[in-house]
Amino acid sequence: MLVSRNRFRKVMNNSRFIEYHFRILNDTDSQSLLLKCDFNNLKYLVKNNIRERVDESKKQSIFRKKVKIARKNKADFILLEKTCELIANNIENRPFN
């Protein structure tokens, strides 16, 4: 899977603190912000270190404008991107304690 370098960097930067968000949302009070399936996806991403796996398996294109992601990590990258966008949208709506 080929993605633009900017898109790849955006996903990697947004997912840098995904474990922190998982711990915050693991509370029973904050868990209602995400659907059960979204929370399970977040749990899968954190427990299996998907961010590191995708980052290690990437390869740069010849002119370094695209990043090639291994076929086996394509679905994980898409899930990581979707989950990061979901967290970014919900973090603004999180109640303060």
Side-chain angles (χ1 to χ4, degrees):
M1 174 178 174
L2 283 175
V3 295
S4 70
R5 186 177 72 194
N6 292 335
R7 178 180 168 197
F8 183 80
R9 282 185 181 173
K10 179 181 174 187
V11 171
M12 288 297 124
N13 286 338
N14 288 345
S15 65
R16 184 179 300 156
F17 300 108
I18 198 166
E19 188 173 347
Y20 167 76
H21 292 298
F22 172 70
R23 289 182 184 180
I24 294 286
L25 292 172
N26 207 10
D27 293 341
T28 55
D29 299 336
S30 301
Q31 206 171 27
S32 63
L33 291 176
L34 293 177
L35 297 174
K36 188 69 173 171
C37 63
D38 294 330
F39 185 75
N40 288 338
N41 289 340
L42 180 62
K43 186 176 181 180
Y44 166 76
L45 291 171
V46 170
K47 296 291 182 191
N48 295 316
N49 288 331
I50 298 300
R51 180 187 187 274
E52 286 78 18
R53 187 184 303 170
V54 169
D55 195 33
E56 289 172 0
S57 70
K58 76 173 188 317
K59 293 184 181 177
Q60 298 281 337
S61 67
I62 295 173
F63 299 111
R64 300 197 181 268
K65 293 188 179 199
K66 301 262 184 192
V67 174
K68 184 176 182 182
I69 298 170
R71 251 185 227 155
K72 63 182 180 179
N73 294 330
K74 178 182 176 181
D76 289 335
F77 178 77
I78 293 171
L79 181 64
L80 185 64
E81 183 177 31
K82 184 184 102 173
T83 305
C84 287
E85 287 178 12
L86 187 68
I87 289 172
N89 290 337
N90 281 335
I91 205 163
E92 297 169 357
N93 301 329
R94 189 175 69 210
F96 295 107
N97 293 336

